[in-house]
Amino acid sequence: MSRDRILKAMSRVPRERFVSPTLESLAYADYPLPIGGEQTISSFETVVLLCTALLLRGGERVLEVGTGSGYQAAVLAELGCKVYSVERVAELSRGARKLLDRLGYLRVLVRLGDGADGWPEYAPFDRIVVTAACPDVPRPLTEQLAHGGILVLPVGGRKSQRLVRITRRMSGQFMQAALDQCNFVPLLGKWGWAEEPHCARVPRLSGGVLPGGGPWG
Ligand code: SAM
């Protein structure tokens, strides 16, 4: 799907509604913003990057790992996808669900849990996108990928990763392509990192804005 089409879909999603009122004026700045629970809404360009990497055509069933604010899920819905999104932080999951309902995104289902376990009841998925950095590819996600499906996720260390696209061919064979270098917040849980004390918290400046060198995601 072209960048133009993705930008058009994004223009229909009121990004300022997905951040706190005090950060509304920064909603379109190209860096991630805090959303509570020590997490971030991905920067505008990161959302474009992930949507582009998914090679969407429209109409796909997409599993998103890391609902966060719900913004990426809303954009995927605007691109014609049916979205199944999983978030491990209860307050974020609740907040995203409420906001997506209020904005009329009925094609987005949100669940609280460890997204790296996927969502077996709705598998297989045509696309899977992980919006947090993975030390490795979580096996349940490749197992829940449809034949002909695509999984996009950042893989690497806690500070820096490579965006990876895994394609499951119709034959069942997996192909892997390395895309851009990136910097996402860590995936936590059994397929990710332990929450504390090792997990680096997302740094904040006094105004609540992330410094330039912080994670994109
Ligand atoms: N897509 C989100 C948005 O549009 O606002 C941004 C997501 S933020 C960069 C990464 C999210 O992944 C955080 O909300 C974090 O709580 C979540 N996360 C981290 N580990 C997770 C896991 N194992 N399962 C589900 N969500 C997880």
Side-chain angles (χ1 to χ4, degrees):
M1 195 172 281
S2 71
R3 182 179 169 88
D4 267 7
R5 206 161 147 207
I6 292 167
L7 290 178
K8 228 174 240 159
M10 289 172 78
S11 74
R12 293 193 291 272
V13 183
R15 188 170 159 90
E16 65 283 0
R17 298 284 300 275
F18 291 81
V19 298
S20 74
T22 54
L23 295 175
E24 262 180 32
S25 61
L26 297 171
Y28 292 87
D30 197 27
Y31 41 77
L33 296 169
I35 53 172
E38 303 292 339
Q39 298 301 329
T40 58
I41 177 172
S42 300
S43 75
F44 196 82
E45 276 302 327
T46 299
V47 176
V48 177
L49 176 72
L50 292 176
C51 291
T52 307
L54 283 167
L55 304 178
L56 295 165
R57 299 201 175 108
E60 289 89 352
R61 300 170 74 255
V62 182
L63 172 70
E64 180 194 26
V65 178
T67 314
S69 68
Y71 178 73
Q72 171 90 59
V75 171
L76 289 167
E78 287 287 354
L79 288 168
C81 303
K82 168 94 186 173
V83 187
Y84 303 82
S85 187
V86 188
E87 169 59 53
R88 66 181 295 282
V89 177
E91 65 180 284
L92 293 179
S93 179
R94 250 194 323 269
R97 173 68 283 154
K98 259 196 199 155
L99 180 58
L100 290 164
D101 280 351
R102 215 175 301 139
L103 295 175
Y105 288 107
L106 305 178
R107 286 169 64 80
V108 181
L109 297 186
V110 175
R111 180 171 79 82
L112 176 66
D114 188 335
D117 286 332
W119 197 333
E121 294 87 335
Y122 290 106
F125 299 97
D126 304 313
R127 299 289 186 272
I128 300 178
V129 60
V130 184
T131 66
C134 304
D136 218 331
V137 181
R139 192 162 18 87
L141 300 185
T142 51
E143 288 170 355
Q144 291 178 36
L145 190 60
H147 288 214
I150 290 173
L151 161 63
V152 169
L153 74 174
V155 181
R158 285 232 300 273
K159 295 251 159 68
S160 168
Q161 312 87 36
R162 174 70 71 172
L163 196 64
V164 171
R165 176 163 57 220
I166 294 172
T167 304
R168 187 175 204 176
R169 288 190 163 167
M170 293 312 283
S171 64
Q173 190 193 3
F174 289 96
M175 308 285 293
Q176 188 164 316
L179 308 175
D180 305 44
Q181 200 67 32
C182 55
N183 181 10
F184 281 81
V185 295
L187 183 89
L188 302 178
K190 67 175 179 288
W191 292 96
W193 281 277
E195 187 163 10
E196 290 282 37
H198 335 282
C199 177
R201 291 299 191 185
V202 178
R204 290 185 189 182
L205 298 179
S206 51
V209 182
L210 291 165
W216 300 355

